[in-house]
Amino acid sequence: MIQLKHQRMMDPLMFLLSVYSYLMYSFHKWADMESIQYKTEESDELKNLRLLDQLNQLLVSSSGASDLAFILKKCEKFFNYKRCVFYAYVPWSNQFYGVIGEELPKIQSMKGQLTEQNLIFNSKRPIYLKNPKPYLRDDHIQLFQLSSIIFVPIAHEHQLYGWVTFDQMGNSFDCTKNELDLLEHVGKRIGLFLSRKERENTAKTMAIALTERESTVLKLLADGYDNKKIASLLFLSEYTVRDYVSSLMTKLRAKNRTQVVAYAFRWGLLS
C-alpha cells in the first residue's frame, strides 16, 4: 500500500498503522500475562508498541506541517527527552537549516552545507553520538551545550524532509539499540505524515497555472538569482521582476522568496 501513489490511500494507511499497533499491543499484553519467562523482553516491546500507537493517534489527529511543533513537543514527552529539534533539508541547495524547537532564535541560526563526508546527515538510519565533538561543529555544540545527541532522518519513499534530534539539554545519556530502532519507526511515521499532507496540498494546488514568464522567473529564483540579476537576464526592469515575484508569492501562498521556491519544489512546479 505504501508503494501506491494515489494520495487517497494515505489516510487509510495511517489508520491501518494505528489499528496494527493497537492489535499488536493487545496481543503482546495478553501474551505477557501468559508467559513470565519472557516478561522483561516483551515488556520492552509492549512499551514500544504503546508509544508508537500514541504517536499514530497524534499524527492522525494533526492537520499538517503547521502542527509539527506540537508533534515534536509531544515526542519529547513520549520518548522521555528534554529537547527535540527539527532541521529541514533544502534539496535545491543541498543544505540544512534549523526550523522548529525551543530557543527558536538559536535553532534558526543553525544552517550549513551538506557534504558526502558528513556521515550524520548522509545516514539513512538514526545515529546516536555519545560524544558529538568529532562530528559536529564547535559552535553548534557550544550554542546548545550538547553532550550526547541522537539524529533521526525524516524521510518517505526516498524523499528526505530533514532530521529530528533528541537530547537531554546538555546532560550525557546512553541509548540502546532497542531505543534507536524505536526512533527509526518514529522517523518513518513522521515522514509518512509529512508526505500525506504534502500530497493533499499538491492535490489542492493542481489548478495553479503559471505564465511562461512566471515559470522563467521561478527557475531563476531557484538558481539563487536576485531581482537585479533576473531583470538583466530577461531584459526587464527590476520593478517588473518584483511584480512577477509578488504574483508567484500570491499564487503559491508563500510569505517570502524562499517559500516560493520551497513550495514550487514541493508541488512539482520545479524538478
Side-chain angles (χ1 to χ4, degrees), residues 17 54 69 82 90 98 122 163 171 187 191 201 204 213 224 270:
L17 279 172
Q54 288 179 330
K82 294 181 180 178
V90 188
N122 289 324
W163 303 264
N171 296 321
N201 290 337
K204 293 177 183 177
R213 184 65 78 182
L270 289 170

Side-chain angles (χ1 to χ4, degrees), residues 60-89:
V60 168
S61 63
S62 298
S63 61
S66 59
D67 288 338
L68 191 55
F70 176 72
I71 292 171
L72 297 187
K73 198 65 183 174
K74 282 293 186 180
C75 284
E76 290 177 355
K77 180 180 179 181
F78 290 165
F79 306 109
N80 198 28
Y81 290 95
K82 294 181 180 178
R83 181 165 50 199
C84 183
V85 177
F86 177 70
Y87 294 89
Y89 174 60

